[in-house]
């Protein structure tokens, strides 16, 4: 259900993990490697993780989703290592009896991942490298830390 | 002894991924000050940084015990 992998991500495998007879909807979020960020060109990316803690935090987020939207089931796979443009970095699949919970739970999960899970992205720009700390160019932790 | 882990840009700055330090009985803020001094990091590089003790987020006041694993968590950028 919660996986970090150095191999290319198989979206169907995440879907298969959440599909069951009682669900009437499955949403998938697929995060891919973007070439241009505000006009700046990415050559490739590198993801590193504190793997044992990252898995633990993914479990925590999954539990939050399943508690806030009862009846949902979630699967999350995040890629690690070197990724090229258009490679899949993450897939989140959420199933639920009705579609609204699947949409909302999925969005909640990716926002929490960007706040809480110890995974770091190193950008290899065409003119150098940089560890990215705040992807949306917002303060990483406006409240001084993640909401636990 | 406690184990200290560094990741991402901080790992590159420190030059290693893991240290063993005699910091049992001391607080996180003391550990932060020690590492800033020894590795000549800019003041406050670490003071505002998130820290995990044994894979759970902790605060600057958390007191360490023998065998703890402390990880410095620079702002994350997964997803």
């Amino acid at each position: 259900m919660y996986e970090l992998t150095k191999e290319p991500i198989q979206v169907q495998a995440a879907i298969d993990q959440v599909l069951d007879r009682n669900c009437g909807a499955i949403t998938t979020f697929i995060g891919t490697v973007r070439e241009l960020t505000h006009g700046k060109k990415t050559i490739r990316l590198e993801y590193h993780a504190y793997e044992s803690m990252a898995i633990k935090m993914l479990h925590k987020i999954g539990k939050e989703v399943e508690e806030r939207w009862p009846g949902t089931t979630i699967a999350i796979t995040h890629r690690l290592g070197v990724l090229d443009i258009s490679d899949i970095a993450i897939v989140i699949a959420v199933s639920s009896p009705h579609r609204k919970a699947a949409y909302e739970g999925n969005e909640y999960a990716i926002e929490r991942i960007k706040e809480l899970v110890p995974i770091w992205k190193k950008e290899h720009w065409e003119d150098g490298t940089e560890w990215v700390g705040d992807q949306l160019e917002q303060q990483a932790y406006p409240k001084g830390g993640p909401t636990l | 002894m406690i184990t200290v882990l560094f990741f991402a840009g901080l790992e590159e700055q420190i030059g290693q991924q893991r240290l063993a330090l005699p910091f049992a009985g001391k607080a996180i803020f003391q550990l932060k000050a020690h590492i800033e001094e020894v590795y000549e990091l800019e003041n406050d590089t670490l003071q505002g940084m998130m820290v995990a003790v044994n894979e759970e987020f902790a605060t600057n006041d958390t007191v360490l015990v023998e065998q703890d694993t402390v990880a410095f968590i620079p702002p994350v950028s997964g997803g």
Side-chain angles (χ1 to χ4, degrees), chain A residues 83-143:
Chain A
L83 279 73
D84 294 318
I85 305 302
S86 296
D87 280 353
I88 297 173
I90 187 169
V91 62
I92 304 170
V94 179
S95 69
S96 60
H98 302 283
R99 66 184 178 279
K100 192 173 171 65
Y103 276 122
E104 290 178 356
N106 203 311
E107 183 174 25
Y108 175 87
I110 186 64
E111 297 304 327
R112 286 294 271 163
I113 286 165
K114 286 176 181 289
E115 181 181 28
L116 214 58
V117 180
I119 296 176
W120 299 274
K121 174 166 77 175
K122 188 177 193 176
E123 284 273 6
H124 293 253
W125 305 106
E126 55 185 346
D127 58 355
T129 63
E130 178 190 13
W131 285 100
V132 177
D134 53 348
Q135 303 178 81
L136 302 174
E137 298 196 342
Q138 294 166 346
Q139 182 96 29
Y141 296 123
K143 289 168 229 146

Side-chain angles (χ1 to χ4, degrees), chain B residues 15-74:
Chain B
Q16 33 201 337
Q17 216 245 324
R18 174 184 292 261
L19 294 177
L21 292 173
F23 262 71
K26 297 197 172 132
I28 294 286
F29 71 87
Q30 293 170 297
L31 175 68
K32 285 179 166 180
H34 171 78
I35 292 172
E36 279 176 347
E37 190 187 329
V38 171
Y39 290 90
E40 297 178 351
L41 302 177
E42 272 179 46
N43 269 353
D44 296 342
T45 301
L46 299 184
Q47 288 303 334
M49 190 177 288
M50 291 301 300
V51 164
V53 176
N54 305 327
E55 301 175 1
E56 297 287 351
F57 285 106
T59 66
N60 278 345
D61 297 329
T62 301
V63 175
L64 299 165
V65 299
E66 279 296 334
Q67 312 287 331
D68 272 351
T69 297
V70 177
F72 286 89
I73 312 285

